[in-house]
Amino acid sequence: MSLRGVRPSQARSLDISAQGGNVWVVLAAAGSGERLGADRPKAFVRLGALPLLAESLRRLEESEWVDAIVVAAPPDWEEPAILLAEELGAGKVSAVVRGGATRAESVRIALDEVPEDAVAALVHDAARPLVTDEIVGRVLGPLSEGWDGVVPALPIADTVKRVRGDEVVETLARGELVAAQTPQAFVADVLRAAVSEGDSSAADCASMVEARGGRVKIVPGDPRLLKVTTPEDLELVSTWL
Ligand code: C5P
């Protein structure tokens, strides 16, 4: 498909409407998910009848915006990830790579599989299974307005304090704070440069783009993009399926 939301300059130079192949997704699924307390990595914990990874994979496969997907699988779970993609008929999965020690490292390894002519790269956490076509479109749109990156985010209801041990050091101005989610969208070249030089402990990809002076826009997130961290999260998300 053609991309309706990229920088016009890039769109022209890459002739993106011709063949597609320009919006790539890196699906970060290589985390261990220790806080779930399961006997397997989080991506392979059951959500309904299938592994957690299946839900985001299926949804991204069906997204009209997405041309190709690279999955960063937990070490030694590459084969099950490939089999799952086959079982789902996820023909957009172009590669399954062995993830790294950190999320940023997993994204860097996966980005090596994204071709030079990719225009936009989305990075999504497999731990957020309920990704929608609507949110994918929402994060891709502002790339055509000159933004380097786009992050879906939610307002924070609680007051947030910086602490050292059990002592409050600072109370942050809540009006300036949001909670960042994924999928995050980037101009592919910008993301590649940021991730190759970025801090491997970075919590998300946008922070690496920000650190190099990139302009990152916030768009409304979705409460159902909850990141599954605990068994209670898994239970809650399963009621939303
Ligand atoms: O650990 P957490 O749930 O915050 O990780 C966010 C996402 O990053 C998850 O989907 C997880 O699978 C992924 N991740 C990864 N490689 C790592 C650590 C986390 O792909 N080494």
Side-chain angles (χ1 to χ4, degrees), residues 28-32 35 42 72 100-103 106 125-128 227-229:
S32 62
R35 284 167 289 183
K42 180 162 39 181
T102 64
R103 181 185 187 278
S106 295
D125 294 333
R128 301 180 193 272
K227 184 164 73 171
V228 171
T229 306

Side-chain angles (χ1 to χ4, degrees), residues 41-218:
K42 180 162 39 181
F44 287 91
V45 166
R46 296 269 142 184
L47 175 67
L50 291 169
L52 181 72
L53 171 61
E55 193 64 29
S56 53
L57 199 51
R58 183 181 61 76
R59 287 163 175 254
L60 291 166
E61 172 73 24
E62 287 171 6
S63 170
E64 61 168 331
W65 298 97
V66 172
D67 292 301
I69 302 168
V70 180
V71 179
D76 299 331
W77 287 77
E78 299 94 321
E79 194 67 33
I82 292 166
L83 292 174
L84 179 64
E86 283 173 4
E87 189 185 330
L88 295 171
K92 292 180 184 175
V93 173
S94 152
V96 173
V97 299
R98 186 184 184 92
T102 64
R103 181 185 187 278
E105 189 68 6
S106 295
V107 172
R108 190 188 60 71
I109 295 164
L111 271 178
D112 283 346
E113 302 296 325
V114 174
E116 290 293 315
D117 66 354
V119 173
L122 290 178
V123 183
H124 184 60
D125 294 333
R128 301 180 193 272
L130 301 187
V131 58
T132 63
D133 204 33
E134 192 203 343
I135 196 95
V136 170
R138 200 182 299 164
V139 295
L140 283 170
L143 296 183
S144 64
E145 297 158 13
W147 295 91
D148 294 306
V150 186
V151 173
L154 293 177
I156 293 180
D158 294 319
T159 301
V160 179
K161 296 181 186 290
R162 192 193 310 280
V163 295
R164 203 165 292 136
D166 58 3
E167 184 178 348
V168 174
V169 177
E170 186 188 359
T171 298
L172 301 168
R174 193 171 59 189
E176 291 184 355
L177 298 174
V178 292
Q181 302 180 313
T182 73
Q184 298 184 351
F186 303 93
V187 174
D189 292 344
V190 171
L191 180 65
R192 221 189 295 272
V195 170
S196 70
E197 294 169 11
D199 177 359
S200 62
S201 65
D204 73 354
C205 291
S207 63
M208 293 185 269
V209 171
E210 294 152 30
R212 300 178 87 246
R215 291 179 66 239
V216 176
K217 181 182 170 69
I218 291 294

